[in-house]
Each structure stands twice: as structure tokens, then as C-alpha cells.
């Protein structure tokens, strides 16, 4: 391929809406081009990389025994109504009507489509287990589309769905996909860490997310460097020691004028924030609940939701807080709430807390010497806070670290949530009708492309792993108007292509500096420089994108193909 025929357009300036490096670089390198917010066109270079990633995903899915199909993007509303998700998906789903006023969704995922498909085609245990997958564009009306391909409105997802006769089979299908995912990301040159994750609406069911660790990641991950435990902060647990607070005198009200926030109250009492019982009123599925956590900790809404088994959980508004506590916002505490019927749940680490300070449910007043067990009616203790750096690993007790991650894939044991809704059954060997057990598995194909760039770039541009680079080699023809140089460059192109190596020849009449800059920006793994001066001095220059100039090898043109092969290996 010749550069002058390849519609490559690089940009000098960063796009204004780009906040993270990978987004800036993908646009500047001409890999993608913005159509509108959250919508991108893959340009020829981007298309080549996307296809290479797709190919890796397909090869690994096929090797794992999964069957590829493709199902419509346009999905009838009735399918979603069967599982109740037509309402549950809310504003995240794009909806439209045909001319007959029938409602449709632009598929944000395809559990309903695949479950109804399985119901239609599977009838006997002899057809099980089976995993079906597709690579299809998905649509989500994200609250905040941003970061380029990372969180877009339209994105390419590989979604797979497994159907099994029993729990052991479902377990095998799950781990087969898990291992396939490990191979997919490794082959894409991405370091992706599997982490335990929250099951969302599926409650406590088993799920792992694969995260490309990167500062730009939107998710917090707790990792244990000692034993390898890794979990999304929505799920991560910590090990707690036994709490043995000394007994304390009776609780006592203290006037705390103008002290509402934990910091203000801490300053007033001269105590660390951890000595406070932070008390928050939530509304879960329409009903108020009170949540208590140590003053130096943040309530984790996802954990609260999971613990309560609620569909929706949010902080209560001021009126509800006043009604539940009997005091203005800022003075809530577990002792003496106005509404004695509202359940109070406390964080595990508050079990045995004595001598604590809490709001007194009275304006400008706090209680000191609170003994939680003695003074408050706690309906239950649970893990309700977000882990922090240094918390003890739940597996080995060593201190954990916090990292950021980009979710590039997720594997999920769904159980019978969808197959129950559709009554997707099979007949076992005794001709009894049984519900199929399901798993679902997603790879964000377009997000993966960008995650690679986020993990692999420098100040000059992208550094593509050879496996997914738009071209593995760029040949810089420095003197395209000189036939003796062009013939060497073109011969090299032909020889590399004959060996199955993708190559682009930069045949532009441009200053070398401009050409090198573009090559670095786009990030071809290997650069070969062919110029009149070099040829007169003994050969062509070969350098890997991730090496510095001093590593340049100079070889005779005849030896170049072999040397490039070595450099790429
Ligand atoms: P997130 O938590 O980032 O919103 P999700 O958990 O809702 O993602 P899944 O339903 O698990 O996403 O979809 C499977 C994969 O699709 C994700 O692991 C992610 O890689 C990708 N993906 C999800 N939403 C987007 C998006 N808006 N843009 C690009 N890729 C996405
Ligand atoms: Mg997910």
C-alpha cells in the first residue's frame, strides 16, 4: 500500500473534546474520525486494526467451540417486555417505531434475542451444551458518552451466550469463555486483569470483568500484590480484625453549633473522623433505610443495593431525612431516630463500636459515648463501604492497592433469569422438561482497540502491538522522485507482502522530519528508512517504534526482509 493512496490524514492539534491520551491519539493519527458526540467512523487505518482484533476474537471463539451467528440490531419491544427489561433499561436504550407504530429497540445487548432463539432451536439435551456468539454493533444512550471509543453511543461488541443442561455444565462453559478471553486480550497485546465484579441485577451470581489497568480507566479496582486478589471496588471486600473498644459511660448529648460535616464535627471534638458514626438516609425501592458507616469511609451504593436486594437505591432528599431523623440534614445518628420503624444497617467494622460520636437527630447536637449495640437498634451489619488503599486483602490479609481499570470484557453466569422468563426448556434423557442454564460473555471490541492505545503510547504517538497494527511496517521512501530509491522501496514492499507482512510505503514528497513524525504518531511497529544517502552508505535503516534511535540497524537491502522478520518476532 502506498501512503499517497491510503486516505491517511493526521492532525497536528488535539481534538477539543478529548480528555485522555488514547482519544487524542486515535483522532490525531487518523484512525477514527468523529461524526457526532459518541459516534465515530473507523478510517482505513482504524478499519484494518478493528478487523485484526475481530479476527483474533473470532479465532478464539471458534477455538472454544462457540458458533457464530448474526442477529438483527433492531429488536422488537415484545422480547424486552418478556423479561421486564423494556422498562428496566430506561433511558439507556434507544427506542423507535416502524410505520405501523410497532416499537423497537436498537440492541444495547442481546440476551432476549439469544434466549428466544435458543428456545426456538433447542429441544433436547443432545444439543447441549452450546455457546452462540455474534459480533454486532450495539447502541446505548449513555449518560455521558466520552473518551472516544471508550464510552460511545454505538460500539462493536462480541457477545456470546451459553446454554447448558446443568450447573456443572454452566460452570465449564463459563471458564471456557474466561480462558478464551485471557487469550484474546493477550493476543491483542493488552494487559487485561480479570477481576471479581458486581452481578448488578443478577445479585450475587458469579461474574468477572476483564480490566485493562490504566490511569484513564473509569472503574476503581482493588488489587492485592501479594496473592493476586483483584476486584472491582463495587464488589471488593476487606478483612477486618476483631474490634475491642473499651466500655464507655452512658451516651451524652453535646451542643455542636455550626458543626455539620464530619470534618467540622471532628474539629469540634478533636477526634479523628474514624471515631464518628456517619449516618445517611437512603431510599431503597421507595422505602427509607438508614445506613451507618465509620466517619472516614464512603458508603458504597452498589454494595447497599446488593445487600438490600433493591432495584433502586439513592440518597434521600432533605424532606425525607427530616421526617426519618426528626432533625435538619447534618445531624442524623443511629440513636433516637424519629421514625423507629425505619431499619438501620451498619457497616461490619462498626460491630462492637463503643465511645463513638454520632448525630443526635436534633439540630446542632451530637451524641458522644455511643455504644452502638447498647444504644441503637441495628437491624444488621454488612459490608457497605468502598475499600481503600492499604485495606487488608480478604484472601491473604496483606495490604491492597487501588488501581484504575478500563472494562474491556465481562463473563457472567446468568443462571435461569432469562430462560425462566422465556420458558426456554429442553428435554432430558428421561424426557422431562428442564430449564436451560445460561451464561453471557461480552468483549468491547472497539473499546479494546482504544484500551490498547491507552496502555501503549508515548509522547510521540501510538505504539501498536504487531498483532493488531494497521500495518506492521512502514517503509519511508525519502526520495520518491529518485527511481533508484523507489525501486528499492517498492521491491521491499513486494517482498514483505509475499511473506505475509503488512506494509505501507510512505511515498509522499515531504521532509523526512514530517514523515517520521507521522509514522511515530500512527505507531507502526517497525520503520524502515530507504533513502539515496543511506543506500550510498551501505543500506536501509530498521528501527522498532518502541526503541530509541540508537537501536537502529543498518542492513543491505537484500538482507532487510530477514532482519524485519526478526525485529517483528
Ligand atoms: P460499563 O460498565 O463500562 O458501562 P457495561 O458493564 O455496561 O460497561 P457490558 O454490558 O458488560 O458493559 O458490555 C460488554 C462490554 O461492552 C463491556 O465490557 C465494554 O467493554 C463494552 N462496552 C459497554 N458499553 C460501552 C460503550 N458505551 N462504549 C464502548 N464499549 C462499551
Ligand atoms: Mg460489564
Amino acid at each position: 500500500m502506498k501512503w499517497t493512496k491510503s486516505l491517511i490524514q493526521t492532525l497536528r492539534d488535539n481534538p477539543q473534546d478529548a480528555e485522555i491520551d488514547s482519544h487524542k491519539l486515535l483522532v490525531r493519527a487518523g484512525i477514527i474520525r468523529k461524526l457526532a458526540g459518541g459516534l465515530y467512523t473507523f478510517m482505513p487505518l482504524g478499519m484494518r486494526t478493528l478487523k485484526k482484533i475481530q479476527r483474533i476474537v473470532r479465532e478464539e471463539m471458534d477455538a472454544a467451540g462457540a458458533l457464530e451467528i448474526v442477529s438483527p440490531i433492531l429488536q422488537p419491544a415484545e422480547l424486552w417486555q418478556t423479561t421486564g427489561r423494556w422498562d428496566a433499561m430506561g433511558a439507556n436504550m434507544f427506542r423507535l417505531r416502524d410505520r405501523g407504530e410497532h416499537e423497537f429497540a436498537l440492541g444495547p445487548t442481546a440476551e432476549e434475542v439469544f434466549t428466544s432463539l435458543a428456545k426456538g432451536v433447542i429441544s433436547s439435551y443432545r444439543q447441549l451444551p452450546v455457546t452462540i456468539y455474534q459480533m454486532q454493533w450495539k447502541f446505548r444512550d449513555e449518560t455521558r458518552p466520552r473518551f472516544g471509543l471508550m464510552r460511545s453511543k454505538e460500539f462493536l461488541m462480541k457477545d456470546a451466550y451459553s446454554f447448558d443442561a446443568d450447573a456443572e455444565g454452566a460452570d465449564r462453559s463459563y471458564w471456557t469463555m474466561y480462558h478464551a478471553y485471557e487469550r484474546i486480550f493477550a493476543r491483542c497485546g493488552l494487559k487485561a486483569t480479570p477481576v471479581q465484579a458486581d452481578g448488578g441485577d443478577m445479585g450475587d451470581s458469579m461474574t468477572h470483568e476483564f480490566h485493562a489497568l490504566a490511569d484513564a480507566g473509569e472503574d476503581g479496582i482493588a488489587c492485592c500484590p501479594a496473592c493476586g486478589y483483584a476486584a472491582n471496588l463495587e464488589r471488593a471486600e476487606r478483612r477486618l480484625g476483631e474490634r475491642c473498644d473499651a466500655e464507655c459511660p452512658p451516651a451524652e448529648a453535646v451542643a455542636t453549633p455550626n458543626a455539620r460535616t464530619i470534618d467540622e464535627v471532628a474539629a469540634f471534638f478533636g477526634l479523628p473522623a474514624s471515631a464518628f458514626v456517619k449516618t445517611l438516609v437512603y431510599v431503597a425501592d421507595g422505602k427509607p433505610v438508614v445506613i451507618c458507616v465509620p466517619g472516614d469511609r464512603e458508603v458504597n451504593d452498589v454494595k447497599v443495593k446488593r445487600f438490600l436486594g433493591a432495584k433502586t437505591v439513592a440518597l434521600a432528599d432533605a424532606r425525607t431525612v427530616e421526617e426519618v431523623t426528626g432533625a435538619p440534614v447534618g445531624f442524623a445518628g443511629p440513636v433516637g431516630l424519629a421514625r423507629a420503624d425505619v431499619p438501620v444497617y451498619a457497616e461490619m467494622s462498626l460491630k462492637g463500636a463503643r465511645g463513638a460520636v454520632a448525630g443526635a437527630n436534633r439540630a446542632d447536637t451530637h451524641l458522644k459515648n455511643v455504644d452502638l449495640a447498647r444504644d441503637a437498634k441495628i437491624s444488621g451489619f454488612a459490608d457497605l463501604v468502598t475499600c481503600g488503599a492499604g485495606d487488608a486483602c480478604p484472601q491473604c490479609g496483606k495490604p491492597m492497592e487501588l488501581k484504575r481499570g478500563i472494562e474491556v470484557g465481562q463473563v457472567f453466569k446468568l443462571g435461569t433469569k432469562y430462560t425462566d422468563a422465556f420458558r426456554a426448556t429442553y428435554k432430558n434423557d428421561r424426557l422431562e422438561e428442564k430449564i436451560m442454564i445460561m451464561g453471557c460473555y461480552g468483549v468491547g471490541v472497539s473499546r479494546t482497540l482504544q484500551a490498547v492505545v491507552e496502555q501503549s503510547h508515548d509522547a510521540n504517538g501510538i505504539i501498536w502491538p504487531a498483532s493488531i497494527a494497521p500495518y506492521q511496517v512502514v517503509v519511508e521512501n525519502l526520495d520518491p522522485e529518485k527511481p533508484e530509491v523507489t525501486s528499492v522501496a517498492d521491491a521491499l514492499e513486494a517482498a514483505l507482502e509475499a511473506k505475509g507482512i503488512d506494509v505501507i510505503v510512505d511515498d509522499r514528497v515531504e521532509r523526512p522530519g514530517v514523515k517520521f513524525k507521522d509514522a511515530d504518531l500512527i505507531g507502526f511497529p517497525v520503520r524502515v528508512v530507504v533513502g539515496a544517502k543511506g543506500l550510498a552508505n551501505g543500506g536501509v535503516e530498521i528501527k522498532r517504534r518502541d526503541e530509541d534511535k540508537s537501536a537502529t540497524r543498518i542492513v543491505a537491502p537484500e538482507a532487510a526482509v530477514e532482519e524485519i522478520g526478526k525485529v517483528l518476532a
Side-chain angles (χ1 to χ4, degrees), residues 209 407 409-410:
E209 291 167 349
E407 182 194 323
Q410 182 163 20

Side-chain angles (χ1 to χ4, degrees), residues 140 197-198 207-209 211 219 407 409-412 442 447:
R140 292 187 188 178
D198 174 61
T207 174
H208 285 88
E209 291 167 349
H211 278 269
D219 287 32
E407 182 194 323
Q410 182 163 20
V411 290
F412 216 127
R447 186 186 279 183

